[in-house]
Amino acid sequence: MKNILNLRHFSATLSVMALICSFFSTVTFAASDTGWMTNPDHPPVRTRFVLTGQADPTNQLVEGYLEVELTKDWKTYWRSPGEGGIAPSIDWGASENLKSVDWHWPYPQQFELLGIHTLGYKGDTVIPMTLNIEDWQKPVNIDAKLVLSSCTTICVLTDYPIKLSFIPSDLSMSEPDLFKHAQAISQVPKASPLIEKATAIWDENKQRLEISLDKKLGWNHPEFILDGKTEQSKEYSYKLIDKSINGQSATAIIEVSSWLGDIDLTGESLFVSIKDDNFLAEQVIDVELGVSSAEPSSMITMLGIALLGGLILNIMPCVLPVLGMKLSSVISTQGLPRRQIRWQFLASSAGILTSFWLLAGFLLVLKLTGNAVGWGIQFQNPWFIGVMVLVTALFGANMLGLFEIRLSSGTNTWLASKGDNSYAGHFTQGMFATLLATPCSAPFLGTAVAFALAASSIELFAIFTALALGMALPWILVALFPVLATMLPKPGAWMNKVKYLFGAMMLITSSWLLYLLSNHLPLFWVLLVALIGLVWLLMKIKRVHGDKALAISGGSALFVTTGVFILASMTTQHWAKPLPADLPWQPLSNQLIENSVIQGKTVFVNVTADWCVTCKANKIGVILQDPVYSTLLGDDVVPIQGDWTHPDGAVTDYLRANGRYGVPFNIVYGPNAPQGIALPVILTENEVMGAIEKARGEG
């Protein structure tokens, strides 16, 4: 009897133990992700491996993804990292019941650092994966190691253990994970039936690859990325140097390089990933040996575009304050010998050229050191703005007659004997006009600057030289034909009134620059600097001209300054009455853009800066005016704004990803335009409304 009881007790104990084991087994196999994994030695990165619960029992497939979060400027790499970097890899060798894993790579961003072109991702990155299971009914034990390379100006290689167990038939779907997986899959290029023809010709003599693609619906602004399909072709780096579009046909010229020496692409297969408006695709192309018929023509085209862009800068609002100096200098040439007029205007042209070369050198240094580059970025620097405040204030005060610089009699005699006492002034005018022009983006300017900043050092200087020649063209014309200067009205009393007008404009510019400076420094310090400058100026006047001149100049300064601020206040109040409240802008976020488009909404992105005059004109003249304003307030529209007033890596990366290096930049996304419809630099009601309708699928 006792043995029977012991047997029953033993049996019950086994049952309880089995139940407990079953419970813990269920808990273990219910896990669907690893949780966030971090490395204390490298906190900017965290990662996790997730199973969505989506499964295909017939083909024994389970869907999941690798998620990587990178802070600030850290980035990781695509399957083909480009000229530097290491692609993420996972060693699945110790896993059980796992046949293989297929990676699905979203279309990457392109980066340029120290002349090295790489491909990869920043921010929150999701890489979908498909797990091929051996036995559907048995547990899968994942025991793997992720090796992840992350870089800024330095690179760190970090290992993360991936441990996860599950039974494929017991997986349950997670809606948030499915949504994130679907978002990432939508960014993965796939073969498209719209590509009718794809050829690749390898020109061995030129070491260039010519890719030709025909698409039924034609091309808009295609972007091409190449990487190898075979082991040999994976060893090479591929860099786009030119592209052209002719109706349904697009041609790309690719420069191929290798650390290993000789390159032979004959008979190799390549992946061509294509991104265009509302279009994302990937084609496999077999390479044939031949002669490339296309020659890069974009440099010649860009030089022409840069010339035109520089010419248009002369009529942009940023340059208006300098027009006073220009006008004064032109009028002052009355009665001078033509030779002297010619040299004065050539001096102005030289000033413009010098300023553009200095800008090119400044941007090149930033580019080579891995810093953000772009048109007008010096206005993100408070020191530069402070210098410009001082210069504009001095020019304005001088034109208003508040002070003058007296030279010694010997110096005056030397200048008079040389006959070129205004050459330095003309040179300075040219330099100053260029510096004040940089907050403005003009038609054609953005295209030329974007090309220059993505090109080689020599090409960058060539483009900036063309911009300079375009802006200096009116001066060069007067230098070539001095008779043009004699066609203006003769000097007279009216010139003083004109000088006062442009002097006031210059002080308005100083006020605007002081406002920009207040974005970098506390307002108290800005006002203190302005007060010190004014006191210094009045003391200078007293020392040179005496107490009476001080009283007159001080009164004039007070009158002019008060008038400037009253005028500014009246202008602000005038614009404030018709203008409505600002839009409910949301901060720039790629994730927000993607989520909104997936939800069927239209997204209007406005990348702007306080120092950008064209941005202000776009906002006042178009964005805050009906019908655009009312449309952007609609429930189905998400207004997003990126602020580039101060250096911001996320905004810079967004501009670069869209091939832009300056502001303003406006683009519209929607269900019918997931890749976005870029708008021109100067907005119009028709352009904005047309893009919104097209993005919605209405136009």
Side-chain angles (χ1 to χ4, degrees), residues 3 66 118 132 420 456 613:
N3 290 337
L66 176 71
T118 56
N132 297 271
D420 60 355
S456 67
V613 179

Side-chain angles (χ1 to χ4, degrees), residues 66 83 144 209 218 319 326 376 412 430 470 513:
L66 176 71
E83 294 177 323
L209 190 66
V319 189
K326 287 188 176 183
N412 280 323
L513 290 168

